[in-house]
Amino acid sequence: MEEHVEIINASGELRRAVESDGEVAAAAERLGSLLHPHTATEEAGLFSVMKGLDEYHDHIETLCGEHRTLDDLLDAIAAGNHSLMDEFDVALREHIHKEDNGLFPAAALGLDGDHWTRIDDLTHEHDHAAGNAHHH
């Protein structure tokens, strides 16, 4: 959830760049450098375990689809389609709200120790393979 705050802040920087005809590509790149590793790690760890549980499968599929949509919108903004900034901002905030206030509390209540061990293992493997800093 702490990463969500950083991502929202970077989205604000992107908005300011779009509104001031500033360095949109650089701001989009900075946001992408936070967003892409975050969503990839979520999908490799927490999402992959929860997707295997019937009660969460469809919700996880929806969230993964939203990750793709956010990527596509960010790419389009970086390429010059600045009119998509509002759509991106709304989609990002709604997505984060679903995770922070729906998925993460559900995971905290619905997953057991074996699930969390598997999530930790998968996240560690993903971060190591991607060269990301380890999250422990």
Side-chain angles (χ1 to χ4, degrees), residues 79-98:
N81 192 345
H82 299 173
S83 65
L84 294 174
M85 187 66 223
D86 286 343
E87 184 179 344
F88 176 83
D89 198 41
V90 168
L92 178 65
R93 289 173 186 276
E94 287 179 355
H95 177 78
I96 287 174
H97 176 77
K98 286 179 190 176

Side-chain angles (χ1 to χ4, degrees), residues 1-20 22-38 70 74 77-78 85 88-90 92-93 96:
M1 288 173 65
E2 292 171 15
E3 290 177 359
H4 286 165
V5 173
E6 293 178 49
I7 290 166
I8 289 291
N9 290 341
S11 181
E13 293 170 16
L14 177 60
R15 175 174 290 287
R16 287 186 290 283
V18 164
E19 290 173 351
S20 67
E23 295 293 325
V24 173
E29 186 175 327
R30 174 169 151 53
L31 176 52
S33 75
L34 296 169
L35 185 61
H36 297 136
H38 171 80
L70 290 168
L74 183 58
I77 293 166
M85 187 66 223
F88 176 83
D89 198 41
V90 168
L92 178 65
R93 289 173 186 276
I96 287 174

